[in-house]
Amino acid sequence: MKINLSKYLIAAFSVLILGSCSSDFLEKTPTELISEDAATADADALTLAINGIHRSMYMRYEDQNQMGAGGVMQQMDIAGDDLVYPASNGWYLSVYNWTAVINENSAEIKFPYRTFYRIIRNANAIINNADAATGSQTVRNMVKGQALLYRAFGHFQLVQIYAKRYVNGTNNSQDGVPLALTTTDMVGRSSVEDVYKQINKDLDDAMVLLDGYKKPDNSNLDLSVANGLKARVNLVQGNWAVAADYAAKAKVGKSLMSIAEYTKGFNDYTNVEWMWGSDIIELQTEYFGNFGAYMSRNFSSSVIRASPKAINSKLYNQIPATDVRAALFSKTGEHPTLNLAGFNKYPYTSQKYLAVSTGDSRCDVPYMRVAEMYLIEAEAKARLGSADAAQVLFNLVSKRDPAYVLSAKTGQALVDEILFQRRIELWGEGFRFLDLKRTNSDLDRTGANHSTIFTGGVLSVPASDKRWQWLIPRAEINANPLVRQNEL
C-alpha cells in the first residue's frame, strides 16, 4: 500500500497528537508537520503518540457522521439485519440499502478503509521507532505493545470488511488487504491467510510487552484487551480451542454489570464490564459528530428526532419479558422514562445508548466488553462439543434474565442459542454484519419492521453474494496500482 501524505489513507502523525479534527489537514505538506523522528524520539513523545491514536478512535474525520471507529461500528450494524431505520435521515442510508458497497467512489466505503489505515500508519511509526527511542524501557514497552494491538485491530477490521471471509481448513489464498508494516512502502493485497498470520503475530508480540502493565483507564489497551482481541480473531478463523482459551483468559478478574447498571445508558467507559472504550470528554466533544449524536435516543439532533435507531422486531419479540435487555428498547416507541417532546416516535426504538443530555451528545464508545468474552467462549466450546459450553452461556445470560435456565441443547441447536444471545447482547456495538459474514449466513430482514423504501428493497442477500466484500476505494487503486479491486 502506498503511504502518501496527500492521500486520504493516513493522517499526519502530529495531527493525531495535537487532536486536530480540521477537515483540511490531509492537504498539508510534510514540511508543515512534526517529523516522525521527533514524534517518537523518547518515551515522553511516544506516550503522546499513543494518546494520539487513542484520540483517533473517536475523532471526526471528513463528514459529520465519520467519527472514527464508532462510525464504522454503526456501519457494521446498519448493513446487517438487527438495526432498523424507521425513517430516512440520509446518514449511512447507502450502507443500509447496500448501494455504497458496490460503488468504489462512495464516501461510505472509503471511510473505514481510510480510518483504519490511518490508525495502522501511526501505530507503525511507534512500532518501528520505539526500540531506538530514549527513556524508560517500561514506558517504551507499554507504548509499543499498545501500538501492536492497534495495528492488529486495524488489519483485522479491514480484512473482514474488504476481503472474502476466512474459511478454516483451507489455504485462504484469496485477496486480503495490503499489509502495512511501515509508513512508506507500497504493497499490494496480501492473502487472507497472511493477513491473519500477521494479526496473530502482532497480538502475540503485544502480549509479551504488556505483561504486567496496569493501565490507568479503559482508553488504554492492556493484556486483557490483547487476550480479548486474540479470542475475537480466532473465533473468526474458526480456531475454536484458541478462541475459547483466550476469551476465558480475557475475563479473568472481570465482572458483569448488575441488572440496575445495565439500563443506565451504555455511556460510561468506567463501567465495571467495559474492557476498552473511548472517554468523550467535554473539551474534545464533536457535538453533532459524536457517537451519541447518532446512536443515543435522547440527544436533540435532527438525526435522532427524525429517525432514531430501532431493533429488528422479530428479534425483539423473542426476548423474554424477564430479560433486562428488553428494557433497552421501547415496543411502543414512547420511552416513558425519557423526555422526548418534539421527537418522532416509532415502535421498537432503542434507548441502549443515552447521551449526557438533549443538548450534549457525549456518549462514551464501547469497543470491548466482558460479556463478549462469555459469548466467544460459549460459542467456541459449543462448536467443539465441550460439556461446559451451556454453563458458560448460563453464567452470562442469568445475569441479564433471572428466569433463564441452563440450556439442555447441544450441537448446532446450542450454537444457534448462543448466536441469538449474541445478537441481543451486542446489538448496536458493531458486530452483526461481520457475524453474518463469518458464519456464512444470509442477510434476512424479511418479516420484520424493515421498510422496503429505506432498504431500497434489500431485504435478503445470500451469503454467496459478491457484495459481502466491500469494494476497495477507487482513490486507493489510483494511488497504488498494485492493489487489485474486488469483483465488480
Side-chain angles (χ1 to χ4, degrees):
M1 183 186 69
K2 184 177 181 180
I3 306 295
N4 186 323
L5 281 172
S6 67
K7 300 299 179 183
Y8 69 86
L9 292 181
I10 64 165
F13 193 74
S14 62
V15 170
L16 295 187
I17 293 173
L18 296 173
S20 170
C21 55
S22 168
S23 62
D24 65 349
F25 68 85
L26 292 176
E27 308 308 317
K28 296 179 180 178
T29 62
T31 56
E32 296 176 284
L33 304 171
I34 300 171
S35 71
E36 183 174 304
D37 289 344
T40 58
D42 55 38
D44 289 340
L46 288 169
T47 301
L48 288 173
I50 200 66
N51 287 339
I53 299 181
H54 298 334
R55 171 77 174 96
S56 74
M57 287 287 287
Y58 65 90
M59 68 181 284
R60 177 175 168 179
Y61 290 88
E62 291 179 0
D63 292 333
Q64 180 176 300
N65 62 335
Q66 295 182 4
M67 69 296 282
V72 180
M73 285 164 55
Q74 290 179 57
Q75 288 185 324
M76 295 303 100
D77 277 319
I78 289 166
D81 53 351
D82 288 343
L83 191 149
V84 175
Y85 273 20
S88 172
N89 60 23
W91 296 111
Y92 290 139
L93 186 62
S94 63
V95 174
Y96 191 46
N97 64 30
W98 283 51
T99 58
V101 303
I102 53 173
N103 177 6
E104 61 184 3
N105 292 307
S106 168
E108 310 298 11
I109 66 164
K110 184 171 71 172
F111 168 51
Y113 200 89
R114 176 201 56 202
T115 297
F116 289 118
Y117 274 120
R118 283 173 166 170
I119 290 171
I120 290 167
R121 186 269 176 185
N122 289 295
N124 282 335
I126 294 172
I127 294 164
N128 297 327
N129 289 283
D131 291 343
T134 60
S136 166
Q137 184 67 52
T138 299
V139 172
R140 287 187 286 142
N141 286 349
M142 173 272 291
V143 173
K144 184 177 179 181
Q146 292 191 61
L148 284 163
L149 293 184
Y150 275 116
R151 186 167 77 180
F153 174 69
H155 282 127
F156 179 51
Q157 295 300 104
L158 290 162
V159 75
Q160 290 181 94
I161 296 169
Y162 297 97
K164 291 183 179 179
R165 71 187 189 94
Y166 190 97
V167 181
N168 189 276
T170 70
N171 62 16
N172 289 289
S173 60
Q174 66 270 35
D175 277 346
V177 292
L179 270 176
L181 304 181
T182 72
T183 58
T184 57
D185 288 347
M186 180 187 290
V187 296
R189 296 172 70 176
S190 295
S191 70
V192 166
E193 188 70 50
D194 285 345
V195 173
Y196 275 92
K197 284 181 179 177
Q198 184 63 50
I199 291 168
N200 277 293
K201 181 182 185 304
D202 283 349
L203 293 174
D204 293 341
D205 290 347
M207 289 176 191
V208 174
L209 293 170
L210 294 173
D211 187 26
Y213 167 59
K214 305 297 183 184
K215 64 181 181 179
D217 56 58
N218 280 334
S219 68
N220 286 267
L221 291 68
D222 62 0
L223 189 57
S224 67
V225 175
N227 287 330
L229 287 174
K230 186 81 171 180
R232 255 188 212 177
V233 169
N234 282 275
L235 184 74
V236 172
Q237 290 185 275
N239 295 328
W240 311 126
V242 177
D245 180 49
Y246 278 94
K249 289 179 181 178
K251 61 186 178 65
V252 169
K254 307 291 184 182
S255 301
L256 292 167
M257 280 183 271
S258 68
I259 286 178
E261 290 172 317
Y262 204 83
T263 56
K264 288 186 176 179
F266 276 76
N267 54 14
D268 185 356
Y269 87 138
T270 67
N271 182 292
V272 65
E273 193 172 304
W274 288 30
M275 299 169 63
W276 177 26
S278 284
D279 177 27
I280 314 302
I281 62 175
E282 189 170 7
L283 181 64
Q284 296 178 335
T285 183
E286 299 292 353
Y287 303 100
F288 291 95
N290 282 329
F291 184 75
Y294 291 85
M295 289 298 291
S296 76
R297 186 64 185 100
N298 60 322
F299 178 62
S300 185
S301 65
S302 58
V303 173
I304 294 172
R305 290 194 308 271
S307 183
K309 307 301 188 295
I311 189 173
N312 181 309
S313 56
K314 285 200 303 185
L315 177 62
Y316 176 85
N317 288 329
Q318 296 177 70
I319 305 175
T322 52
D323 193 319
V324 68
R325 293 171 295 189
L328 300 183
F329 308 93
S330 175
K331 189 171 184 177
T332 65
E334 291 298 320
H335 299 273
T337 61
L338 303 178
N339 179 15
L340 298 181
F343 288 61
N344 290 348
K345 309 290 179 61
Y346 300 97
Y348 301 102
T349 44
S350 164
Q351 62 177 58
K352 178 172 181 174
Y353 298 107
L354 296 177
V356 171
S357 68
T358 57
D360 188 339
S361 67
R362 284 179 295 136
C363 177
D364 292 350
V365 188
Y367 307 128
M368 183 180 290
R369 292 193 295 117
V370 177
E372 182 197 352
M373 298 302 112
Y374 280 87
L375 291 162
I376 291 174
E377 184 183 5
E379 181 183 342
K381 286 185 170 180
R383 293 185 185 277
L384 288 168
S386 300
D388 62 338
Q391 183 63 52
V392 175
L393 181 65
F394 177 82
N395 293 343
L396 168 66
V397 181
S398 61
K399 295 292 187 181
R400 311 306 192 215
D401 180 2
Y404 181 76
V405 298
L406 181 69
S407 178
K409 296 175 183 176
T410 59
Q412 187 60 47
L414 179 57
V415 171
D416 290 343
E417 181 175 348
I418 294 164
L419 292 176
F420 166 72
Q421 295 293 340
R422 185 176 171 93
R423 291 172 70 184
I424 302 169
E425 183 67 38
L426 300 179
W427 185 94
E429 296 182 49
F431 291 97
R432 186 56 181 162
F433 173 84
L434 300 177
D435 278 346
L436 289 168
K437 187 170 179 176
R438 74 172 173 88
T439 57
N440 202 32
S441 301
D442 300 339
L443 177 76
D444 182 8
R445 296 167 167 173
T446 61
N449 50 333
H450 290 279
S451 164
T452 56
I453 297 173
F454 307 135
T455 61
V458 179
L459 296 180
S460 60
V461 179
S464 59
D465 196 290
K466 65 184 179 181
R467 287 174 291 176
W468 289 95
Q469 289 70 245
W470 289 19
L471 294 183
I472 304 294
R474 170 50 55 182
E476 162 70 336
I477 295 171
N478 289 343
N480 182 2
L482 296 178
V483 174
R484 292 188 294 264
Q485 182 59 279
N486 287 325
E487 182 183 358
L488 295 169

